Amino acid sequence: MTDSLDRRGLALGAGAYLVWGLFPLLMHALEPASAIEITAQRAIWSLLVCAIIVAFVRGWRRVLAVLRSPRTLGILALAAALIATNWLIYVFAVVTDRVNSASLGYYINPLVLVALGVFVLGERLRRLQIVAVAIASVAVAVIGVEMGGLPWISLALAFSFGLYGLIKKRVSVDPITGLTVETLVIAPFALVGLWWLSSSGELTFGARGSSGLGVGHDLLLASTGVFTVGALLLFGAGAQRLPLNVTGLLQYIAPTMMFMLAVWHFGEPMPAGRWIGFVLVWAALIVLTLDGFRAARRPRALRDPDEAEVEPAEPV
């Protein structure tokens, strides 16, 4: 199989997930900025980067076409609300030293997509998919018992991103056009958030006189837009060159890196119960991956269109 793979596509796809996997390091480097400021700055700077790219590729007609279509704009506005929620919860998890919770959220996201396909789209689960979802449910229960409550950060990340991917399937727009419109929708709320932080003296961008603040801090905040859009472009270019099952395997790079950073770099606690939960999640993902390879080997004519499928997405 490796001989038939596009090496450039593999490098591009892996590069995207490596960037996403390293995001916790960037978020920690942005302290003392709050989760609200980081999310707002990310949206604003991503919009600016998207605008530059759209201008360069002469894509404003596509953007205007979306803005003139109430249905498409409405779908992307809902997607914008979900991805903004996802970004905010993710940054909150990182700045409050809960990177392992964020990692778990993106690990269980493929399993959430399978569940959403069943309950929202009416798809039917294959046997191995049922096994994978059952194992993952036990894993969440085990981690919940260990934490003394539902792992809400992990579940919120998984479901917000799963619903985001589900909604994006309802509209056919290229990634840059979609992200441009989504960040355009988020921008007014982001500006209000930044104004509120500024009026309360909590805005760090442009502030001076405190440790960790300065030009370097401002540039790091601005870089969130570059990394967000850059990773999206890498993902899109790689996905075009790679089989779906290979891209599906690559999506586990980011949460694995997050998990490694949480345990070995940030030193977050990992009690025995949490380890057991993660092992169960990994077992569920192995079962889901095996099911994906089995389904991919079946002749297209024999595939049931009502069976649940998992398409990897970009955790922007």
Side-chain angles (χ1 to χ4, degrees):
M1 186 178 71
T2 54
D3 293 337
S4 62
L5 284 180
D6 186 316
R7 293 184 178 180
R8 186 178 180 185
L10 192 62
L12 290 168
Y17 285 106
L18 285 172
V19 172
W20 287 316
L22 291 172
F23 252 77
L25 293 176
L26 175 60
M27 300 304 154
H28 261 280
L30 294 174
E31 294 181 355
S34 66
I36 293 176
E37 180 178 3
I38 294 173
T39 304
Q41 295 280 6
R42 185 181 184 183
I44 296 299
W45 291 107
S46 293
L47 175 58
L48 291 176
V49 174
C50 284
I52 293 172
I53 295 174
V54 169
F56 181 76
V57 300
R58 299 179 181 179
W60 286 115
R61 287 186 179 179
R62 293 193 294 271
V63 174
L64 291 175
V66 170
L67 296 177
R68 290 169 180 167
S69 170
R71 178 183 178 277
T72 304
L73 180 59
I75 294 173
L76 289 180
L78 183 55
L82 287 167
I83 199 60
T85 300
N86 183 272
W87 285 357
L88 182 60
I89 295 172
Y90 174 75
V91 177
F92 172 78
V94 174
V95 300
T96 56
D97 299 321
R98 302 177 191 178
V99 178
N100 56 11
S101 294
S103 169
L104 177 63
Y106 288 114
Y107 268 133
I108 65 177
N109 178 69
L111 297 156
V112 167
L113 287 174
V114 170
L116 289 174
V118 173
F119 293 109
V120 178
L121 302 180
E123 297 174 340
R124 290 188 293 117
L125 289 179
R126 296 186 289 267
R127 290 181 182 178
L128 286 180
Q129 289 177 325
I130 294 174
V131 173
V133 172
I135 296 173
S137 299
V138 173
V140 171
V142 169
I143 293 175
V145 170
E146 185 277 322
M147 295 178 62
L150 281 176
W152 70 269
I153 289 177
S154 304
L155 292 174
L157 286 173
F159 277 95
S160 62
F161 188 63
L163 288 169
Y164 172 76
L166 193 65
I167 288 172
K168 288 293 287 285
K169 286 185 178 181
R170 302 280 183 175
V171 58
S172 180
V173 295
D174 62 278
I176 286 298
T177 300
L179 187 60
T180 301
V181 174
E182 288 163 24
T183 50
L184 188 62
V185 171
I186 300 170
F189 302 96
L191 290 173
V192 169
L194 293 176
W195 170 82
W196 177 74
L197 290 172
S198 177
S199 62
S200 60
E202 298 179 20
L203 188 70
T204 64
F205 185 84
R208 300 294 183 268
S210 299
S211 177
L213 301 182
V215 175
H217 175 76
D218 296 346
L219 290 175
L220 279 176
L221 280 170
S223 73
T224 57
V226 176
F227 284 117
T228 296
V229 180
L232 178 67
L233 292 175
L234 288 174
F235 173 83
Q240 289 178 350
R241 295 172 168 84
L242 294 173
L244 187 63
N245 55 0
V246 175
T247 309
L249 288 175
L250 291 179
Q251 71 181 322
Y252 300 130
I253 292 176
T256 300
M257 291 180 64
M258 293 179 202
F259 177 80
M260 294 172 67
L261 287 171
V263 176
W264 288 294
H265 181 74
F266 298 121
E268 295 183 13
M270 283 292 292
R274 202 168 303 180
W275 274 109
I276 293 172
F278 268 90
V279 170
L280 287 172
V281 168
W282 295 331
L285 292 176
I286 290 172
V287 172
L288 190 66
T289 301
L290 290 174
D291 173 78
F293 275 102
R294 285 183 59 182
R297 290 173 181 172
R298 291 166 58 190
R300 186 175 297 273
L302 298 178
R303 298 179 192 175
D304 190 337
D306 292 330
E307 288 181 344
E309 296 291 346
V310 178
E311 293 188 17
E314 65 284 357
V316 294

